[in-house]
Amino acid sequence: MASTFWGALGGGGLGLMLGGPLGALLGALAGHVLVDREGAPFGPAPRQLVFTTGLVALAAKMARSDGVVTSDEVSAFRRIVEVPPDQQHRIEKLFDLAKRTSAGFEAYAEQVAGAFRDEPALLEDVLDGLFLIAAADGAIHEAEHAYLRSVAAIFAIAEKDFARIEARHARRPDDPYLVLGAHREMDDTELKRLYRRLVADTHPDREIARGLPEEAVAIATKRLSAINAAWDLIRKERGLSQSLPAPEPA
């Protein structure tokens, strides 16, 4: 995200544009008291604003859920949420405000879900980012897992999709197939086609082309790495070559 976004966190304009509990959070950061401005003549909030502010707020609430924030989790958070050094204090304050606010995580999750109702892939991006942070210390703890399930439910993410996302981070023996959303009964051709489609759908260049923030691109990069690693395990298990089927005609 452009540094102008982070610099603007010091003012109230972004909060007014966003409205709702996330807008109130930005308003608190700016030192203003904001109310839900639904219907105000500011137009829809930019996706980048909803995505990044929602991810920060939900990550902060997840940190509160288990009462512990490890250095690994902080490092993972910083790898996903890229902030110019001169704005680092603002994002840290935003994270701290979200952690301490009386608003429950449900309010933030519902606002994000409403904003991206027609773009479920973005909701998966947010959940994937939260998984990356939770798993950074080598384990997803019980309170974190329960929290992630609750967020997924608000996002209307199906159980099978939650399991697929979780598999990219939980490291179970059946990971390779689950990561791809595949099953062992699929033949080689089906698997190759599925893998090729996933790579096309997940590639970070796609996120960049859609004008999404660096946070979404970082999450997509991690996801593509997990998909490639899973495919490599399956390919070796089945003795497949690295070549993929030719693209199907549109």
Side-chain angles (χ1 to χ4, degrees):
M1 181 165 302
S3 59
T4 51
F5 167 78
W6 299 109
L9 286 178
L14 291 178
L16 289 170
M17 182 182 293
L18 187 52
L22 292 176
L25 182 63
L26 290 180
L29 178 67
H32 300 296
V33 177
L34 298 179
V35 296
D36 190 343
R37 302 278 303 198
E38 184 176 359
F42 296 102
R47 291 180 303 168
Q48 295 94 329
L49 176 59
V50 179
F51 187 97
T52 303
T53 309
L55 179 60
V56 172
L58 290 172
K61 290 297 188 183
M62 183 170 66
R64 184 176 177 177
S65 73
D66 69 354
V68 177
V69 182
T70 69
S71 59
D72 290 331
E73 289 171 340
V74 171
S75 296
F77 177 80
R78 288 176 175 169
R79 283 196 299 272
I80 295 170
V81 181
E82 298 184 10
V83 186
D86 64 332
Q87 299 300 326
Q88 190 67 44
H89 66 290
R90 295 192 191 280
I91 198 65
E92 290 174 356
K93 185 176 180 182
L94 183 64
F95 185 90
D96 188 55
L97 282 169
K99 191 167 63 171
R100 292 189 289 107
T101 183
S102 60
F105 77 89
E106 296 91 347
Y108 298 135
E110 286 166 3
Q111 187 172 0
V112 173
F116 298 140
R117 185 174 292 110
D118 297 328
E119 297 185 89
L122 286 180
L123 295 175
E124 182 169 324
D125 283 347
V126 175
L127 186 62
D128 221 351
L130 294 174
F131 261 109
L132 282 168
I133 296 166
D137 61 353
I140 298 174
H141 303 288
E142 185 176 348
E144 291 172 329
H145 194 267
Y147 176 88
L148 291 164
R149 276 196 176 279
S150 297
V151 171
I154 293 172
F155 286 178
I157 292 176
E159 178 60 32
K160 65 180 179 62
D161 293 320
F162 181 87
R164 174 175 51 79
I165 297 166
E166 180 184 22
R168 293 198 284 264
H169 309 280
R171 307 291 186 267
R172 294 197 303 270
D174 58 343
D175 271 1
Y177 290 89
L178 196 52
V179 167
L180 300 187
H183 52 82
R184 293 182 179 274
E185 291 71 28
M186 293 175 71
D187 63 34
D188 296 347
T189 299
E190 286 179 294
L191 280 170
K192 286 183 177 182
R193 286 176 177 166
L194 173 61
Y195 168 67
R196 193 169 63 87
R197 177 172 58 79
L198 289 173
V199 168
D201 290 346
T202 305
H203 201 283
D205 287 350
R206 183 183 177 106
E207 308 285 79
I208 294 171
R210 292 166 65 202
L212 296 178
E214 286 92 338
E215 291 76 19
V217 176
I219 291 167
T221 300
K222 295 284 188 183
R223 182 188 305 138
L224 182 59
S225 177
I227 289 170
N228 284 335
W231 169 251
D232 198 46
L233 288 172
I234 293 172
R235 181 184 62 78
K236 290 176 180 176
E237 175 188 299
R238 295 190 175 214
L240 302 175
S241 69
Q242 294 193 40
S243 61
L244 295 176
E248 296 177 354

